[in-house]
Amino acid sequence: MFRKKIQFITSYSLHLEPVIKNRLTPFIKMAIKYNFEVQVVSPDKKIFEIEGVSFDHKLVFEQEQKPRNFAKRMWFEIKQARKLINTAINFEADYRMITIPSMFLLFNMYLFKKKLVIVDVRDLTWEYVSSNNFIFALIKRLLKFLASANLKKSLFINVTNMTEHEYLTKNLRLKNTEVTLVPNGVTQYQFNELSKVTLNTNGPLTIAYIGNVGIGQDLRYFVDVAKKFPEINFCIVGAGTDFDSLKDYSIKRNISNLKMTGRLDWNEVKKVYFSAHILYAQLTPDFSMGMPSKLYEYLSTGKFVIYGGKYQAKQALADFDNNIVVDPCNLKALEDAILHLIDSKEYLNLSSSNQSKIKRNFIREKSVSRFFNHLNSLH
């Protein structure tokens, strides 16, 4: 029986970046279920395996640590994107899906001759370029133009939230290009595990952050608030470009009630979810069009969430209970939210309503199944 081929291309390692792994794994598994042959092209050093699933993984070796300097980082990503695309071109595919945040994968899309490329937009990275001076403003304008020109060539575009949908259709004026919603969320397995989490009735109050440790999160405010509440345990689980500097920042402030674990495996992460009373997340204003995928995990537990942010995630959390949204990068607002919870004890409730909404609307397999139903309807 003839099987169509689909190729997934990412500029992030499936082994080193949990966000990418969590995004692509349901696509790979569902593609197999829909009888596609699957190939993945990524900058990994070893084959990524999914239990019970057979697919082809093409490795493009790259350095693990990306440069922090803006110009060097841009040049690195340009070269990396070209290498990934050139590798992908060597193999036939009926459909190819490139996943952003790497805008340079998008800018090299023209190398694919057929117009059967799907763009999976997880982040509008060109919008993060500063406009503080003429040169950067010019670069940003050019990147925005290139993004629009290449997105128009796609078969269709996936976005993870309605803020991205509105930006592409109105700001970039992609009126003749189909934009579909494939939200982030949790897998069925993750939801089943997280919905078993119970309230911690023992020990001191614990507030945990679980996720990427980068400039978009700016967890210095979380560190600073830990200094103000020595009677509360604070925990940061995860790794990222800002991990080392954040650890130095906390050591210099001699904070004994803050634990930074680095990246943990899933079984250890579950233990943190069980032990925490309150779950915290933040996105700085420059990254406010995004929706942290960890929020879906948080809400699956039913536990209380403090979120520092605006726009997309703030709007999304308005549909859920058992949470407080504060201004991002605002130490006083975060401190006041914690004081309120200490007084009100609201964190001693689990929200079954939040869990029901996640189960109904944000299970990744369901969203990806709709994606493949749509893809099959086109050809």
Side-chain angles (χ1 to χ4, degrees):
M1 181 180 176
F2 173 74
R3 298 173 67 194
K4 289 186 176 181
K5 297 179 181 179
I6 187 167
Q7 188 181 66
F8 300 104
I9 309 160
T10 174
S11 62
Y12 285 79
S13 166
L14 289 163
H15 287 283
L16 299 176
E17 297 292 341
V19 173
I20 296 297
K21 181 187 76 172
N22 292 340
R23 180 68 175 174
L24 282 186
T25 298
F27 277 96
I28 295 167
K29 294 172 75 171
M30 199 60 65
I32 300 295
K33 186 175 180 179
Y34 276 75
N35 202 37
F36 281 85
E37 287 186 36
V38 175
Q39 184 180 85
V40 177
V41 180
S42 71
D44 278 290
K45 292 184 177 179
K46 60 180 180 179
I47 298 294
F48 179 72
E49 296 180 343
I50 303 173
E51 186 177 355
V53 176
S54 177
F55 64 96
D56 184 25
H57 188 187
K58 298 299 180 185
L59 308 179
V60 179
F61 299 116
E62 278 293 357
Q63 66 188 68
E64 294 179 3
Q65 192 67 37
K66 297 182 179 180
R68 293 177 63 87
N69 175 271
F70 176 79
K72 290 181 179 179
R73 173 71 174 262
M74 183 176 285
W75 179 239
F76 170 86
E77 293 198 9
I78 289 170
K79 292 191 297 181
Q80 181 195 57
R82 180 57 68 97
K83 190 180 293 186
L84 288 162
I85 294 291
N86 284 338
T87 299
I89 287 173
N90 290 328
F91 303 92
E92 292 294 326
D94 296 285
Y95 303 104
R96 306 180 198 269
M97 188 178 91
I98 61 173
T99 181
I100 297 174
S102 173
M103 56 183 151
F104 297 105
L105 276 181
L106 175 63
F107 299 164
N108 281 279
M109 202 176 82
Y110 71 92
L111 294 170
F112 296 126
K113 303 303 180 184
K114 295 181 180 179
K115 191 184 176 183
L116 292 178
V117 180
I118 303 146
V119 181
D120 186 49
V121 176
R122 285 184 44 258
D123 225 341
L124 305 169
T125 46
W126 53 89
E127 281 296 325
Y128 302 152
V129 177
S130 172
S131 302
N132 290 340
N133 62 58
F134 175 76
I135 298 298
F136 279 102
L138 194 63
I139 291 172
K140 184 172 183 176
R141 189 171 180 178
L142 174 62
L143 295 176
K144 187 174 178 179
F145 170 79
L146 290 172
S148 177
N150 282 279
L151 285 166
K152 288 174 182 176
K153 298 174 185 176
S154 62
L155 178 63
F156 63 90
I157 302 165
N158 295 335
V159 293
T160 64
N161 60 66
M162 290 309 296
T163 299
E164 293 169 348
H165 189 286
E166 184 175 355
Y167 173 88
L168 294 180
T169 54
K170 294 183 179 179
N171 198 310
L172 292 191
R173 301 176 183 177
L174 301 180
K175 296 179 180 178
N176 297 319
T177 305
E178 186 178 11
V179 182
T180 65
L181 182 64
V182 184
N184 283 319
V186 293
T187 65
Q188 188 66 60
Y189 171 77
Q190 286 175 315
F191 178 80
N192 291 344
E193 293 292 298
L194 292 171
S195 60
K196 296 174 185 175
V197 167
T198 56
L199 283 173
N200 180 7
T201 57
N202 300 314
L205 178 61
T206 300
I207 304 177
Y209 170 81
I210 302 169
N212 187 51
V213 182
I215 58 172
Q217 292 74 35
D218 198 351
L219 293 175
R220 289 176 300 168
Y221 295 91
F222 191 65
V223 173
D224 289 342
V225 87
K227 182 80 171 177
K228 291 180 174 291
F229 292 94
E231 74 280 11
I232 298 175
N233 286 340
F234 289 79
C235 181
I236 296 175
V237 176
T241 55
D242 214 30
F243 182 85
D244 291 337
S245 62
L246 186 70
K247 193 161 189 177
D248 289 342
Y249 184 84
S250 66
I251 291 171
K252 289 176 182 177
R253 280 150 185 79
N254 194 29
I255 302 174
S256 60
N257 59 321
L258 172 67
K259 183 179 181 181
M260 295 182 65
T261 68
R263 189 168 287 145
L264 300 178
D265 65 30
W266 175 244
N267 287 329
E268 293 300 312
V269 170
K270 282 193 297 181
K271 291 178 183 178
V272 177
Y273 275 123
F274 270 91
S275 65
H277 298 89
I278 300 167
L279 301 167
Y280 169 79
Q282 173 172 274
L283 277 183
T284 65
D286 288 342
F287 293 81
S288 57
M289 279 192 284
M291 172 72 178
S293 55
K294 280 294 174 181
L295 283 179
Y296 298 110
E297 286 188 18
Y298 286 10
L299 295 165
S300 297
T301 69
K303 292 196 172 186
F304 202 96
V305 175
I306 299 176
Y307 178 70
K310 297 181 177 181
Y311 303 123
Q312 174 57 38
K314 181 178 180 179
Q315 294 168 14
L317 285 171
D319 292 331
F320 294 87
D321 57 27
N322 225 30
N323 70 82
I324 292 177
V325 178
V326 300
D327 285 340
C329 308
N330 187 323
L331 181 60
K332 181 64 166 57
L334 180 55
E335 183 180 353
D336 288 346
I338 294 172
L339 286 170
H340 168 76
L341 291 175
I342 291 173
D343 290 339
S344 68
K345 300 292 190 293
E346 291 177 44
Y347 63 85
L348 293 177
N349 297 309
L350 287 179
S351 174
S352 59
S353 171
N354 287 352
Q355 292 174 318
S356 296
K357 288 177 181 177
I358 294 296
K359 183 177 182 180
R360 186 167 59 249
N361 300 314
F362 297 103
I363 300 299
R364 288 184 187 266
E365 288 88 345
K366 294 178 182 178
S367 300
V368 175
S369 180
R370 289 192 292 269
F371 164 87
F372 279 102
N373 286 334
H374 177 63
L375 182 61
N376 283 336
S377 73
L378 297 178
H379 295 276

